[in-house]
Amino acid sequence: MALKVAAVNSSRAAAAVATQDWEEDLVVVREYDEEKDKVAVEEMERRCEIGEGGKPSLVADLLGDPICRVRHFPSHIMLVAEYGEKGEIVGVIRGCVKTVTRGNSVYVKLAYILGLRISPSYRRLGIGKKLVQKLEEWCKQNGAEYVYMATDCSNEPSINLFTRKCAYTKFRTPTMLVHPVHAHYKPLGSGIAIVRLNPRLAESIYRRVFANSEFFPKDIDNILCNRLSLGTFMALPRKCLPKWDPKTGTLPPSFAITSIWSTKQLFRLQVKGVSMLTYACCMASRVVDAWMPWLMLPSIPDVFRKFWVYFLYGLHMEGKNASRLMKSLCAFAHNMGRDDDGCGAVLAEVGQRDPVREVIPHWRKFSLSEDLWCIKKLGNANDGSNEICGSSDWMKSRPSSRFLFVDPRDI
């Protein structure tokens, strides 16, 4: 009897594998054609955004530009998966290639995968794996030595796809910090000056302080001059301001610095599926905060209509009272968002060991203590940088710095 059961189970497994292989043969992966595919891709992604089981969900409106999340990288692509004779679009994936540091001022070509979506009706058919493999081929052709992706630590389907089926390795776990924009302004603190730096000076400072970090982009100048970057700001003691001359190239003894990236022209977010009670409580907190701002209530923004976010990147601090300076800088960014009607939150992502992690204001409920980054070596010809770095494989090396630079274009 046991032998019969085993034989039945074996035949079922074989049939399942054969069925999946047959299904995969019906899938064609090709490059996205904006004129031809735009409407179908938008409809497919809308189906993916529906929350399961009536749970609240965060949905994104790409403002009519499905490729917007990679458009600001010099080298980028978007692939679509077609299924069946009618060529129905059932999946998409986006990717880019950039040059970044891997530590100790050594640069490598790195690919980044994002925006993988599979239509709910066509999951578990191997479409996601096929999209990833095709994108990896493009990455190799464009000189990438490594490829990585980022996901929530609780996203088991995505983690299983990349680590079990596509041979990625869990690599880094930065922290995502989220702070809502309240109806009231935040105090900046006494005796603190905040100055705006021109892009050239900001680039010079960033190349210096992030030289030994990981993931620092070589084209930081393009990022700082991008229309989505609202500027770079430095906080320093007011008494030090008359003594500091940026032209000398010397940094103030105490300072904090960050740049601000806005998603206003990129995409909008919206929370859907909350109960009426939750909605009423959130809106009531907002009304009270607007009427009585002196109470400094921790109100929740109107995330039930479409909003955008500010992303803080290049966060760094040095010197005495640097923590206080960084807090003032974050308050300054919050107030910028407060004046930009429709900005719902200020985000920052930093390394686990970065000192700014303990300083940046955030709401724990909205934040992620670990945002998982997975990486894979593509096996391209070595350019000699590994020998300089003293390690044969970046994936096996320990971080050379506490600092981790998060590219705002990755958001």
Side-chain angles (χ1 to χ4, degrees):
M1 183 65 179
L3 291 174
K4 288 183 179 180
V5 172
V8 170
N9 288 340
S10 177
S11 63
R12 287 177 178 173
V17 171
T19 300
Q20 182 165 329
D21 289 342
W22 176 76
E23 294 277 10
E24 288 186 19
D25 290 340
L26 297 176
V27 178
V28 175
V29 175
R30 60 171 175 80
E31 188 170 348
Y32 168 74
D33 183 326
E34 186 169 11
E35 184 176 344
K36 175 183 175 183
D37 303 327
K38 180 180 175 181
V39 174
V41 167
E42 289 178 330
E43 177 57 31
M44 190 277 295
E45 293 203 311
R46 271 195 291 270
R47 292 197 299 269
C48 294
E49 290 174 341
I50 299 174
E52 298 181 359
K55 295 181 180 179
S57 59
L58 183 66
V59 301
D61 177 2
L62 301 183
L63 305 179
D65 185 12
I67 204 170
C68 68
R69 292 190 63 195
V70 291
R71 191 178 293 281
H72 294 276
F73 291 98
S75 180
H76 64 266
I77 195 172
M78 178 172 169
L79 302 177
V80 298
E82 290 182 329
Y83 182 87
E85 296 179 358
K86 295 182 179 180
E88 178 185 359
I89 292 181
V90 297
V92 297
I93 194 170
R94 300 153 175 96
C96 65
V97 173
K98 54 186 176 179
T99 303
V100 305
T101 53
R102 52 168 286 181
N104 299 319
S105 300
V106 177
Y107 284 93
V108 295
K109 260 197 167 182
L110 175 72
Y112 178 52
I113 292 178
L114 70 160
L116 173 61
R117 310 298 289 272
I118 307 297
S119 179
S121 304
Y122 293 89
R123 292 171 184 170
R124 297 183 177 86
L125 297 178
I127 297 173
K129 181 181 178 182
K130 195 165 187 175
L131 280 166
V132 172
Q133 291 173 337
K134 290 293 184 181
L135 184 55
E136 287 177 352
E137 291 176 10
W138 176 86
C139 296
K140 287 182 181 180
Q141 293 170 4
N142 283 269
E145 184 179 353
Y146 294 90
V147 57
Y148 81 112
M149 53 78 67
T151 189
D152 186 339
C153 281
S154 63
N155 190 346
E156 293 185 7
S158 179
I159 295 172
N160 289 338
L161 169 64
F162 281 93
T163 59
R164 295 184 182 181
K165 298 180 180 181
C166 299
Y168 283 67
T169 300
K170 295 180 181 180
F171 191 57
R172 300 290 184 254
T173 53
T175 300
M176 176 69 78
L177 304 172
V178 182
H179 195 286
V181 173
H182 303 313
H184 62 266
Y185 291 100
K186 284 182 167 290
L188 300 184
S190 60
I192 295 176
I194 295 179
V195 296
R196 180 169 185 158
L197 309 181
N198 64 61
R200 182 173 295 181
L201 177 58
E203 177 190 349
S204 173
I205 294 173
Y206 281 147
R207 291 195 186 279
R208 190 184 318 178
V209 300
F210 287 105
N212 294 319
S213 68
E214 293 180 311
F215 298 95
F216 179 73
K218 192 173 184 179
D219 65 339
I220 183 63
D221 52 331
N222 291 331
I223 298 174
L224 295 171
C225 294
N226 191 289
R227 61 186 175 84
L228 301 179
S229 195
L230 303 184
T232 302
F233 303 89
M234 176 181 284
L236 66 161
R238 190 173 295 276
K239 62 182 180 181
C240 295
L241 187 57
K243 305 174 185 177
W244 179 53
D245 183 4
K247 296 179 182 179
T248 64
T250 303
L251 291 171
S254 295
F255 72 93
I257 186 174
T258 189
S259 298
I260 304 175
W261 181 272
S262 172
T263 68
K264 183 176 183 178
Q265 301 177 53
L266 199 61
F267 59 81
R268 307 288 172 88
L269 301 172
Q270 185 177 12
V271 175
K272 293 185 177 182
V274 299
S275 66
M276 290 301 297
L277 178 60
T278 300
Y279 174 83
C281 290
C282 293
M283 295 310 296
S285 73
R286 191 74 176 178
V287 171
V288 174
D289 191 12
W291 285 355
M292 294 178 283
W294 61 88
L295 294 178
M296 306 292 284
L297 295 175
S299 61
I300 299 177
D302 186 4
V303 294
F304 310 109
R305 62 172 181 168
K306 293 177 182 178
F307 66 96
W308 57 87
V309 299
Y310 282 178
F311 181 74
L312 307 185
Y313 68 99
L315 293 124
H316 183 74
M317 61 184 190
E318 290 183 15
K320 187 178 179 181
N321 296 321
S323 296
R324 184 167 174 261
L325 295 173
M326 179 56 73
K327 289 179 180 178
S328 295
L329 207 51
C330 291
F332 175 81
H334 170 278
N335 294 345
M336 280 184 62
R338 161 66 178 74
D339 288 335
D340 193 356
D341 185 34
C343 179
V346 177
L347 282 65
E349 189 164 19
V350 297
Q352 287 278 353
R353 298 187 299 128
D354 194 325
V356 300
R357 180 177 184 269
E358 306 301 325
V359 177
I360 300 171
H362 62 280
W363 281 21
R364 286 189 179 181
K365 190 174 182 179
F366 296 163
S367 303
L368 286 174
S369 59
E370 290 187 349
D371 186 28
L372 179 62
W373 290 9
C374 299
I375 196 169
K376 178 180 180 178
K377 190 171 184 179
L378 291 176
N380 284 0
N382 197 308
D383 60 0
S385 61
N386 288 331
E387 285 73 14
I388 298 173
C389 202
S391 173
S392 60
D393 193 345
W394 183 20
M395 294 167 55
K396 299 177 182 178
S397 64
R398 302 183 67 179
S400 59
S401 169
R402 296 177 298 173
F403 310 128
L404 183 73
F405 192 96
V406 181
D407 192 326
R409 297 170 296 186
D410 291 356
I411 300 303

